[in-house]
Amino acid sequence: MSGEILINMTPMETRVAVVENGVLQEAWIERDQCRGIVSNIYMGKVVRVLPGMQAAFVDIGQSRTAFIHAHELMPAGHPGQEAAPIRTLVHEGQALVVQVIKDPMGTKGARLTTELSIPSRYLVYMPGAAYTGVSQRIEDEMERERLRNMVNAQASARDGLVGGFIIRTAAEGVDEQSLAADMQFLLRLWRKIEVARRETKAPAVLYEDLALPTRTLRDVMREGIERIRIDSRENHDRLRDFARELMPALESRIEYYPGERPLFDLFSVEDELQRALERRADLKSGGYLIIDQTEAMTTIDVNTGAFVGHRNLEETIFKTNLEAATAIARQLRLRNLGGIIIIDFIDMLDSDHQRQVLRVLEKALERDYARTRLSGVTELGLVQMTRKRTRESLEHVLCEACPVCKGRGTLKTPETVCYEIFREIMREERAYSPETYLVMAAQSVVDRLHEEESTAVADLESFIGKTIRFQVEQHYCQEQYDIVLM
């Protein structure tokens, strides 16, 4: 599978797109005023302890206080252990070294942990751990053992080393020298953080994760990515310097793009980003997905649409669901959807068809950089899954709730607004009994009052014995109106 990474940079915004076989698969957008803080390490100050929630609020210098649960204050290596009472772990005013594991989202502040981890290309260093782990995506047992032995040997050779390591998927096949260089880099970085911790007062940042372009190089590069194109000369040089020091095999793949055609117009990336903001995602067969994000979860509904198949209904449904399974995995990555996800595939009578669709979905999810967990088909025919969410979805980064419908997604019909106006006039008549009424409303509402509702208006004028006049306000939305007493 051939692919490339496109990096579009302006003074205020950085955008990264991962394209595979000419199709956009993933996108990240970072702006100076709202840059993500996941993986940043802070010297925080506990400002409030909540025993009833087993949690505490911590000031890390952001506009909103961050949140830490008692489980995230537990020592590493005790994931199943019940958390001690929060007041025995922290107290108000206490300084605390914490790391952000989830960006602020909506009205919620950042989520924190005291179990620190610092990633590099091949390793993740955990100062508070005492073990060596290997990424589950490295499946070959002999390779897992080889990597573990090399890392343990390098760790043993460093006197006084405290902490553990996780071997990342990218380490598969690398030599001991590369792992040793990675380990040396991480330990040097950790010593700088410790010095900053001793010299800094809370709240303050101790370590900031890499900027989006270099973070992409470190975390997203994988087999099949043939080149990285960036349209900023300055940042191209900076990216090559980073690669030369830590990832020399990738330096030759980084290219400066000087073309007059905007970089994101290649492979129709701009068009794909626009489509990723729509509720409906079309399938090639003629079927489509309906994707709805809510506060609690994301729901995905699969429909056959215009696809009628060639054999029978069951075969049509099966083929639509197979195509949808692959498309869903791509949409999750592209839109960066996380948390609980409910998929409503079209009902299949054949249990073997159900298993095949699930296998296709599982296979497609293997390419996802985020951790996913998939359940079987429920009694209602739904597929439940979770996808780790650390940053806002593409929609939440690029959009805000509609000021007209307030995020509801629908508007009251002109007819409904007309009858609201009638009821409001009746209330005003009982309270004030003015000489006449002036109704200011949107064009569509006034048109209906003059036409379909003209009889109702005449009856109301007769009932209250007053004249009602109407005035179009071009800047009013369909639900907005004012009644002026004259």
Side-chain angles (χ1 to χ4, degrees):
M1 178 176 292
S2 63
E4 62 181 274
I5 294 173
L6 309 178
I7 305 176
N8 166 234
M9 301 195 71
T10 62
M12 297 298 292
E13 182 184 59
T14 300
R15 301 189 300 168
V16 173
V18 178
V19 177
E20 294 175 358
N21 294 332
V23 179
L24 179 65
Q25 299 292 330
E26 297 173 63
W28 297 275
I29 297 172
E30 195 170 81
R31 292 165 179 161
D32 284 354
Q33 67 270 28
C34 56
R35 183 179 170 184
I37 59 173
V38 169
S39 295
N40 287 5
I41 297 175
Y42 294 88
M43 174 70 80
K45 182 178 181 181
V46 179
V47 293
R48 191 178 177 195
V49 179
L50 305 172
M53 294 177 62
Q54 274 287 77
F57 286 109
V58 182
D59 180 9
I60 59 173
Q62 297 287 307
S63 57
R64 279 173 289 180
T65 54
F67 178 88
I68 188 166
H69 193 272
H71 284 293
E72 299 294 348
L73 289 160
M74 296 295 289
H78 299 77
Q81 182 179 334
E82 186 176 344
I86 186 76
R87 286 203 179 277
T88 67
L89 300 173
V90 292
H91 58 82
E92 291 175 6
Q94 178 181 343
L96 203 61
V97 178
V98 292
Q99 186 167 33
V100 178
I101 56 176
K102 188 180 288 187
D103 269 335
M105 295 185 189
T107 58
K108 300 175 183 176
R111 186 78 179 265
L112 306 175
T113 182
T114 56
E115 295 181 18
L116 309 182
S117 62
I118 309 170
S120 63
R121 174 62 174 161
Y122 302 123
L123 301 171
V124 176
Y125 176 54
M126 301 171 296
Y131 60 88
T132 300
V134 184
S135 167
Q136 293 182 353
R137 295 191 179 186
I138 300 177
E139 297 178 351
D140 186 283
E141 277 302 324
M142 291 183 64
E143 176 63 6
R144 293 172 66 88
E145 194 61 27
R146 182 186 77 90
L147 291 168
R148 188 182 282 109
N149 289 339
M150 286 194 297
V151 169
N152 287 338
Q154 286 295 323
S156 300
R158 289 169 167 77
D159 293 335
L161 172 63
V162 176
F165 294 90
I166 292 177
I167 301 166
R168 305 184 73 180
T169 308
E172 190 169 10
V174 304
D175 57 28
E176 189 167 356
Q177 186 179 358
S178 299
L179 290 175
D182 238 33
M183 187 179 293
Q184 184 66 28
F185 165 77
L186 287 170
L187 295 176
R188 191 166 61 243
L189 182 57
W190 174 242
R191 283 194 290 271
K192 288 182 181 178
I193 294 171
E194 285 197 303
V195 170
R197 181 184 65 179
R198 290 193 293 269
E199 298 176 350
T200 303
K201 288 187 177 181
V205 60
L206 301 179
Y207 161 78
E208 281 189 294
D209 199 12
L210 299 172
L212 181 56
T214 43
R215 197 166 71 235
T216 302
L217 203 62
R218 181 192 69 194
D219 297 339
V220 179
M221 278 301 297
R222 50 184 173 261
E223 190 177 348
I225 299 292
E226 297 173 344
R227 60 179 170 177
I228 303 105
R229 286 199 262 190
I230 181 169
D231 60 7
S232 163
R233 169 67 75 181
E234 179 186 352
N235 286 282
H236 163 265
D237 296 341
R238 195 174 296 160
L239 209 57
R240 284 189 70 118
D241 290 342
F242 175 84
R244 190 179 303 118
E245 181 180 355
L246 294 174
M247 307 159 69
L250 302 180
E251 185 185 355
S252 61
R253 301 190 213 174
I254 302 172
E255 299 179 6
Y256 170 58
Y257 176 77
E260 292 185 7
R261 187 183 181 194
L263 182 60
F264 265 36
D265 283 359
L266 303 179
F267 307 109
S268 302
V269 171
E270 292 286 11
D271 293 338
E272 286 291 334
L273 286 175
Q274 290 302 315
R275 280 194 283 271
L277 298 176
E278 295 175 4
R279 186 168 172 251
R280 172 170 166 157
D282 291 320
L283 304 176
K284 289 182 179 178
S285 65
Y288 60 92
L289 311 175
I290 296 294
I291 302 172
D292 286 313
Q293 291 185 62
T294 68
E295 187 75 20
M297 67 183 71
T298 296
T299 61
I300 302 176
D301 184 34
V302 182
N303 298 277
T304 55
F307 182 49
V308 295
H310 300 289
R311 295 185 184 177
N312 54 51
L313 178 61
E314 179 67 17
E315 193 67 20
T316 300
I317 290 172
F318 176 52
K319 287 185 176 179
T320 303
N321 283 339
L322 283 177
E323 185 185 5
T326 303
I328 286 168
R330 174 177 173 260
Q331 290 295 329
L332 295 180
R333 295 166 63 193
L334 178 55
R335 299 173 186 239
N336 196 21
L337 300 173
I340 300 170
I341 298 161
I342 305 295
I343 305 170
D344 185 9
F345 285 107
I346 306 167
D347 290 340
M348 294 171 285
L349 301 177
D350 190 329
S351 58
D352 187 53
H353 284 175
Q354 291 182 4
R355 286 191 294 271
Q356 288 186 58
V357 169
L358 279 179
R359 278 200 298 269
V360 168
L361 180 59
E362 286 175 346
K363 187 70 176 173
L365 289 171
E366 287 177 2
R367 289 159 48 207
D368 198 333
Y369 72 96
R371 188 169 68 246
T372 58
R373 190 160 56 90
L374 188 66
S375 75
V377 180
T378 68
E379 292 180 1
L380 297 176
L382 305 174
V383 173
Q384 302 171 354
M385 66 170 288
T386 59
R387 184 174 185 267
K388 186 176 180 181
R389 176 170 57 189
T390 57
R391 302 179 189 272
E392 292 275 24
S393 68
L394 189 68
E395 180 183 291
H396 288 154
V397 170
L398 297 179
C399 306
E400 63 181 14
C402 169
V404 176
C405 72
K406 303 293 189 292
R408 190 173 70 233
T410 57
L411 286 175
K412 294 176 183 175
T413 65
E415 180 184 22
T416 298
V417 178
C418 288
Y419 281 87
E420 284 186 0
I421 289 171
F422 295 157
R423 289 193 296 273
E424 183 64 23
I425 288 174
M426 290 294 293
R427 279 194 289 270
E428 299 290 353
E429 178 63 24
R430 293 190 186 100
Y432 304 107
S433 188
E435 292 183 8
T436 186
Y437 292 89
L438 172 64
V439 177
M440 298 185 294
Q443 181 76 60
S444 57
V445 175
V446 173
D447 287 347
R448 186 171 184 95
L449 287 164
H450 280 148
E451 295 168 8
E452 292 93 331
E453 306 299 336
S454 58
T455 302
V457 171
D459 290 344
L460 181 59
E461 286 181 323
S462 175
F463 180 74
I464 64 174
K466 306 287 173 60
T467 301
I468 304 172
R469 295 191 291 112
F470 303 104
Q471 179 178 309
V472 174
E473 291 294 329
Q474 298 295 343
H475 64 281
Y476 276 22
C477 70
Q478 190 161 285
E479 293 188 0
Q480 191 177 357
Y481 64 85
D482 284 305
I483 299 174
V484 181
L485 311 183
M486 304 180 71

